[in-house]
Amino acid sequence: LLIALVRAPWRALIAGTDRMRALGVSVAILPLLWSMSPPLPGGVHLHLLGMTTVTLVFGWQLALLAGLLAGGVLVFVGNWALPAWPLNYLLTVAVPVLVSAAILGAANRLRRTNLFVYMLGVGFFGSMIALGASLWLGSILLGTDLDHALVLLILFPEGFVNGAVVSSLAVFAPQLLRTYDDVRYLGRGL
């Protein structure tokens, strides 16, 4: 978090009121998204994360900080217990953000990229991999066995929601996506 705080693109965030509004919307929507979680046997809750979209919109640094603020909202309203906040933050924010950033980095290293690599590869499949990594680490740390059918049932909606939002933003508001580049993905400047 300290590295994210120091390396965050504060000037770019402050310079654009659209980006500030988007950050506020993210901090408001994430707690709602995380609150919609059905309880499973063993006290485990599965929910959509949405952190791949936040990572692609703001970059990994601000995504970690937005997730911290959203987690603080859930602690304040009583949905997350204060002692469980570090573990919830790790599994709900840190792991998905870092996995999404790594997938974006790998996609950017490809010799040939296009818009579908960004939208489908990073937005759709990247979010599924990020959630899978979070579930895997959570099952190890908590000592629980997750039902593979339940994991598959939650992976596709995560990919669909993130892929749809990232695709919509890439088409209608690419200026909001910090990690999007017209030259890289479309081959020309617009």
Side-chain angles (χ1 to χ4, degrees):
L1 281 173
L2 185 60
I3 293 170
L5 189 63
V6 170
R7 295 193 58 191
W10 296 111
R11 289 183 191 194
L13 180 68
I14 294 170
T17 57
D18 290 343
R19 297 186 65 71
M20 290 288 284
R21 281 190 214 119
L23 183 64
V25 168
S26 296
V27 171
I29 288 177
L30 287 174
L32 295 174
L33 189 65
W34 298 343
S35 295
M36 295 184 281
S37 60
L40 299 175
V44 176
H45 292 267
L46 292 179
H47 56 80
L48 298 177
L49 301 176
M51 291 310 299
T52 297
T53 299
V54 176
T55 303
L56 296 179
V57 169
F58 299 109
W60 67 269
Q61 302 95 335
L62 288 176
L64 287 174
L65 297 173
L68 183 69
L69 292 173
V73 169
L74 287 177
V75 169
F76 181 74
V77 298
N79 283 13
W80 283 4
L82 186 59
W85 190 6
L87 182 62
N88 285 335
Y89 180 80
L90 175 71
L91 297 177
T92 304
V93 178
V95 170
V97 166
L98 297 177
V99 169
S100 298
I103 291 169
L104 176 66
N108 286 339
R109 286 192 187 98
L110 293 174
R111 181 172 290 196
R112 297 192 58 157
T113 60
N114 59 38
L115 187 58
F116 293 103
V117 169
Y118 186 79
M119 292 187 310
L120 294 176
V122 181
F124 181 78
F125 290 112
S127 62
M128 291 172 68
I129 294 168
L131 177 59
S134 181
L135 290 173
W136 175 74
L137 181 61
S139 68
I140 290 173
L141 292 176
L142 298 173
T144 60
D145 290 329
L146 290 176
D147 184 4
H148 296 294
L150 288 175
V151 170
L152 292 175
L153 283 175
I154 194 73
L155 287 180
F156 183 77
E158 177 76 18
F160 179 78
V161 168
N162 282 280
V165 173
V166 168
S167 298
S168 298
L169 288 174
V171 171
F172 297 113
Q175 72 278 4
L176 286 179
L177 291 167
R178 177 167 173 75
T179 59
Y180 180 79
D181 181 20
D182 279 332
V183 174
R184 175 183 299 280
Y185 296 112
L186 294 177
R188 59 185 170 81
L190 295 178

